[in-house]
């Protein structure tokens, strides 16, 4: 019985990994360019009709997509660091507990760096996509991973950034604020009855 359960678990991980790899492959091979249809002071972005904005601030937006709450925030720390130190390489802030990491993959597309990480607690998943300009977070079951990742990638590829205004407006903001914002957004996207809060427990105690 134990061996059977282990085989099922391994098959599920393989299926999830294949889904994510295939989604990224299709994204890179397709033309995902879209005209921005939502404009803010610091950035503009493309939002499909199937997605609703449910909250926003100057540096982040919260969306509803098929009943899933998705957060997008400016990667302000990286944008500012790149402006002052062009050779700077983005560092992983380790907001999430890497013990729950089941998939990680980085690539470049249209001159922008993408880093995708998937975390799993029981049958719940946290999808975290970081790019040079924005960060995405969403939690869901396995059957939504393809659709949500496709949406994240398409939106990330069509961000129009006012870099000068971002640097001028946010450069005096302490770096700890950026990490706190990511933690706050995580709390928003995690279902109230979920177990994914374990991912960030060490940061909130």
């Amino acid at each position: 019985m134990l061996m059977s359960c282990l085989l099922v678990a391994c098959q599920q991980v393989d299926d999830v990994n294949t889904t994510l790899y295939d989604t990224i492959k299709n994204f890179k091979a397709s033309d995902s360019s879209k005209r921005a249809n939502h404009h803010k002071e610091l950035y503009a972005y493309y939002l499909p009709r199937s997605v609703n904005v449910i909250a926003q601030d100057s540096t982040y937006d919260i969306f509803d997509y098929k009943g899933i709450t998705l957060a997008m925030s400016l990667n302000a720390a990286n944008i500012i660091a790149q402006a002052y130190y062009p050779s700077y390489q983005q560092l992983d802030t380790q907001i999430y507990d890497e013990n729950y990491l089941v998939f990680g993959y980085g690539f470049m597309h249209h001159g922008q760096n993408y880093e995708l990480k998937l975390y799993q607690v029981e049958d719940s998943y946290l999808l975290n996509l970081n790019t040079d300009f924005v960060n995405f977070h969403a939690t869901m079951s396995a059957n939504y991973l393809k659709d949500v990742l496709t949406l994240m990638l398409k939106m990330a590829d069509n961000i129009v950034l006012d870099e000068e205004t971002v640097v001028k407006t946010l450069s005096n903001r302490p770096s700890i604020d950026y990490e706190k914002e990511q933690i706050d957004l995580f709390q928003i996207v995690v279902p109230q009855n979920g177990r994914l809060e374990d991912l960030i427990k060490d940061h909130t105690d």
Side-chain angles (χ1 to χ4, degrees):
M1 176 66 78
L2 176 60
M3 181 61 69
S4 169
C5 291
L6 289 174
L7 289 174
V8 170
C10 289
Q11 181 62 49
Q12 290 175 338
V13 171
D14 289 342
D15 289 345
V16 166
N17 288 356
T18 298
T19 295
L20 298 181
Y21 275 125
D22 287 348
T23 302
I24 293 170
K25 181 180 178 180
N26 292 336
F27 162 70
K28 294 174 71 174
S30 64
D31 179 10
S32 60
S33 59
K34 299 287 184 180
R35 183 181 299 233
N37 56 10
H38 278 65
H39 299 266
K40 302 175 66 174
E41 180 183 1
L42 302 180
Y43 58 99
Y45 59 90
Y46 167 73
L47 190 69
R49 292 181 180 179
S50 58
V51 185
N52 297 313
V53 180
I54 56 178
Q56 60 182 352
D57 201 345
S58 60
T59 58
Y60 68 81
D61 299 83
I62 308 296
F63 308 105
D64 175 79
Y65 175 62
K66 296 185 176 181
I68 294 168
T69 303
L70 184 149
M72 178 181 75
S73 61
L74 271 184
N75 193 346
N78 182 67
I79 295 167
I80 293 167
Q82 287 284 1
Y84 289 113
Y85 309 102
S87 61
Y88 165 86
Q89 291 188 346
Q90 182 175 341
L91 298 177
D92 189 341
T93 56
Q94 298 292 326
I95 291 175
Y96 302 123
D97 187 341
E98 299 297 291
N99 289 320
Y100 295 100
L101 182 69
V102 294
F103 180 88
Y105 186 67
F107 63 95
M108 180 173 282
H109 185 64
H110 290 164
Q112 186 174 189
N113 292 297
Y114 290 72
E115 182 184 20
L116 175 67
K117 290 188 175 183
L118 182 72
Y119 301 85
Q120 180 181 8
V121 179
E122 297 181 354
D123 59 351
S124 296
Y125 293 88
L126 166 70
L127 197 56
N128 176 215
L129 177 67
N130 296 329
T131 77
D132 291 335
F133 297 156
V134 289
N135 303 314
F136 288 92
H137 314 266
T139 61
M140 69 214 74
S141 57
N143 56 308
Y144 285 104
L145 287 171
K146 178 181 177 180
D147 288 348
V148 174
L149 178 56
T150 298
L151 173 64
M152 287 180 173
L153 293 169
K154 183 180 295 185
M155 292 182 66
D157 194 37
N158 291 284
I159 293 290
V160 180
L161 183 72
D162 186 340
E163 184 174 348
E164 182 178 349
T165 303
V166 170
V167 173
K168 180 180 178 180
T169 304
L170 302 178
S171 58
N172 292 326
R173 184 174 163 187
S175 59
I176 188 65
D177 286 357
Y178 300 118
E179 182 170 345
K180 182 179 183 302
E181 181 171 88
Q182 299 307 306
I183 293 173
D184 290 344
L185 293 174
F186 168 81
Q187 300 295 347
I188 292 173
V189 303
V190 173
Q192 291 183 354
N193 60 350
R195 292 290 307 279
L196 285 167
E197 64 270 11
D198 294 344
L199 281 174
I200 208 165
K201 182 177 180 182
D202 291 343
H203 296 270
T204 57
D205 285 346

